[in-house]
Amino acid sequence: IKEANNNKNSTATGKKRKLQSSNNILSPDTTNTKKRKLDDCNSEKKSTTSVALFFAIIWKTLTGLGWTLESRTPPYGRLFFPPGVERGARGSRKRVNYFDSMQHVQQFIQTSSEWKEKEEIVKSLNLLNKCKEFVWLNKNKVQEIELIVEGMKQHLEGCCNINEEIGQSLSEK
């Protein structure tokens, strides 16, 4: 049984495929893949921002063009379907006709002759890239603001404690 499990985790070349945990979902180890400039989401905030931007910009456009989304229970995630494509239909294949990740959807609409030249798609992709660039360029500013806000909270908590102590000592007199 152990040998069978090892074979399941092996690729055609016999090398084991590493798995890493990302947001409680097992995903392939991508340490040897080409780094993405703005899509490389090392932190939870970047990942959350990328997801929010995808759904606010790209997915909004795609739903207007007839795409549908099927949400599945974890760890299976979501499936994105172009118009006229159904899971389980004859000849319908995941990552070819429908997709299980936002990155695959973006790659498809950027390379597919049917989608890449549609004006709505071009505008959405340009807007997404501008937003990601803005977030990337301003990430340090956001972190600085968060530190300032945290410092202010701690300062105010200290002031409130002092004010309470003063109020108590005055009421005792």
Side-chain angles (χ1 to χ4, degrees), residues 69-123:
L69 174 68
E70 180 183 311
S71 292
R72 304 179 303 164
T73 58
Y76 302 105
R78 307 175 181 108
L79 292 175
F80 302 90
F81 295 92
V85 176
E86 293 180 18
R87 183 167 57 127
R90 187 176 185 143
S92 182
R93 293 178 34 217
K94 184 168 49 173
R95 296 189 180 173
V96 175
N97 307 102
Y98 63 96
F99 309 94
D100 60 350
S101 75
M102 296 175 295
Q103 290 81 11
H104 288 122
V105 170
Q106 283 181 248
Q107 185 179 27
F108 176 76
I109 62 175
Q110 289 172 329
T111 59
S112 166
S113 58
E114 179 183 355
W115 294 96
K116 71 179 180 182
E117 299 193 17
K118 290 189 180 217
E119 184 179 352
E120 302 96 321
I121 299 294
V122 171
K123 286 181 180 180

Side-chain angles (χ1 to χ4, degrees), residues 2 9 43 111 116 129 135 141 153 164:
K2 241 183 196 180
N9 294 331
S43 74
T111 59
K116 71 179 180 182
N129 289 331
V135 169
K141 291 179 185 175
K153 284 180 182 177
E164 287 175 13

Side-chain angles (χ1 to χ4, degrees), residues 22-156:
S22 172
N23 295 333
N24 298 327
I25 298 173
L26 292 177
S27 61
D29 183 0
T30 57
T31 53
N32 294 326
T33 60
K34 184 178 175 184
K35 295 247 184 213
R36 295 170 284 161
K37 287 181 185 175
L38 298 176
D39 287 338
D40 187 21
C41 301
N42 293 328
S43 74
E44 191 175 313
K45 286 187 179 188
K46 283 187 196 177
S47 180
T48 303
T49 301
S50 293
V51 171
L53 289 174
F54 174 84
F55 279 100
I57 299 169
I58 301 297
W59 189 246
K60 184 176 180 180
T61 300
L62 292 176
T63 55
L65 295 171
W67 284 63
T68 56
L69 174 68
E70 180 183 311
S71 292
R72 304 179 303 164
T73 58
Y76 302 105
R78 307 175 181 108
L79 292 175
F80 302 90
F81 295 92
V85 176
E86 293 180 18
R87 183 167 57 127
R90 187 176 185 143
S92 182
R93 293 178 34 217
K94 184 168 49 173
R95 296 189 180 173
V96 175
N97 307 102
Y98 63 96
F99 309 94
D100 60 350
S101 75
M102 296 175 295
Q103 290 81 11
H104 288 122
V105 170
Q106 283 181 248
Q107 185 179 27
F108 176 76
I109 62 175
Q110 289 172 329
T111 59
S112 166
S113 58
E114 179 183 355
W115 294 96
K116 71 179 180 182
E117 299 193 17
K118 290 189 180 217
E119 184 179 352
E120 302 96 321
I121 299 294
V122 171
K123 286 181 180 180
S124 293
L125 290 169
N126 287 337
L127 178 59
L128 178 69
N129 289 331
K130 287 178 184 177
C131 289
K132 284 184 176 183
E133 183 178 357
F134 177 82
V135 169
W136 182 259
L137 293 173
N138 291 294
K139 72 175 184 160
N140 290 334
K141 291 179 185 175
V142 170
Q143 290 170 347
E144 287 174 23
I145 291 170
E146 287 174 344
L147 287 173
I148 292 169
V149 168
E150 187 59 35
M152 292 296 287
K153 284 180 182 177
Q154 290 175 359
H155 175 73
L156 291 173

